[in-house]
Every structure is written in C-alpha cells, then in structure tokens.
Amino acid sequence: MAMERKTDWSLFTAVVALVGFGLVVMYSASSVVADLKYGHSTYFLLRQSAAAVVAFLIMMYLKNRNYRDWNQPVWAFAPMGVAITLLLVAYFADGRAHRWIRWSFFQLQPSELAKPALIVFLAWFVSQRAPAINDKRHTLIPATLCLIVLAGIVVLADLG
C-alpha cells in the first residue's frame, strides 16, 4: 500500500519566505563590506544563495522520503560521530580560535553541523524511549549526558 505524501503548503511557503527574507537582510547588512573587500556588493549574497539552493534541493529530496525509514540507530549515531570528529579536527586544524576547518576554497564550521546532528540523535533517542519518556533513569539522565558531552566539546573548542 503506497502512502500518499501531502505537502504542508503553509509550512513550505513560510520556510521559503524566511529564507528569502534572510537573503535580503543579509545582503542589506553585508553589501558595503563585500564591495570594499571583494569588489562587488553581491559577493556574500551569491555565496549564501548557492547554499540556499543546495539546502532547497536537499529539502525537496527529504520531503518525498518516509521519515519512518530514518528511525534507525545508524541515522542517529552517524551524524553525531561526524560532528564530533569534525569538532576535533577543527580544534587541531585551527590553532587560533579552534572554530573553522579551512581549505583554499572551502570553510566549514563544525559547530553548525553539530546542531542538526544533535536534533536527529535526540529525536531518535526519544522515539526509542517513548514508553518511559519521563523515567529519570532510562531517558532523562542519558539524554542529559549526551547534551553535556557535546556541549563540553563545543565549549572546549570555543566553537561559539
């Protein structure tokens, strides 16, 4: 039995409108600096727009997927492992501030990846503990430990 997928158009429209508004505000705030530093005022706007297009394509792909297929430990632990590994790489790669992984054409701030990884992990964790969600020993303490470990890594690496 195929499941019919419906789009929540109000949510979809809100997301697209917020991204568009964010691009306008970002351009307004950075156009002068971009013009002085890079020679054209749309430098940051173009970079951010490219990221928005990639994010939009990912959103369109994920919107057509059944979210129940993602309720597996590998989808919970893999993003956390990648985020923690990249946080450690950033700590040793950026000797000044321990915030960025920099390559000649690419910059990555691992703390930005840690946020969605933590959300995905905690969503999986809570779904596994649904019957005992308010049980301190089986749910609240392990979830709190997870948050403390990740927060400790972020604070240790001064990742903002």
Side-chain angles (χ1 to χ4, degrees):
M1 180 171 138
M3 191 169 133
E4 183 181 338
R5 305 207 193 289
K6 294 183 180 181
T7 300
D8 182 350
W9 288 106
S10 58
L11 179 62
F12 182 82
T13 304
V15 168
V16 171
L18 283 171
V19 170
F21 181 72
L23 288 172
V24 169
V25 170
M26 190 271 320
Y27 174 71
S28 173
S30 66
S31 63
V32 173
V33 172
D35 191 35
L36 292 173
K37 191 170 182 180
Y38 298 105
H40 53 94
S41 63
T42 59
Y43 178 80
F44 294 117
L45 177 66
L46 294 175
R47 288 180 56 133
Q48 202 66 25
S49 296
V53 167
V54 170
F56 181 79
L57 294 173
I58 292 170
M59 179 180 72
M60 295 308 291
Y61 171 75
L62 292 176
K63 145 179 146 39
N64 292 320
R65 300 278 312 214
N66 186 349
Y67 69 91
R68 289 179 184 93
D69 293 343
W70 299 72
N71 193 15
Q72 298 175 16
V74 68
W75 295 111
F77 287 99
M80 285 293 288
V82 169
I84 290 172
T85 302
L86 288 174
L87 287 168
L88 292 173
V89 168
Y91 183 76
F92 292 109
D94 185 7
R96 295 174 294 170
H98 307 300
R99 291 188 178 133
W100 294 88
I101 297 173
R102 300 180 205 290
W103 290 287
S104 61
F105 60 92
F106 182 73
Q107 295 181 27
L108 175 69
Q109 189 174 18
S111 63
E112 292 301 316
L113 297 176
K115 295 170 193 175
L118 182 62
I119 291 168
V120 169
F121 176 78
L122 289 175
W124 172 81
F125 182 80
V126 167
S127 73
Q128 298 302 305
R129 303 280 199 285
I133 193 70
N134 290 325
D135 183 11
K136 189 163 131 181
R137 196 177 94 212
H138 291 101
T139 303
L140 298 177
I141 292 174
T144 303
L145 289 175
C146 172
L147 289 170
I148 289 171
V149 167
L150 190 61
I153 291 173
V154 169
V155 169
L156 173 72
D158 189 27
L159 295 168

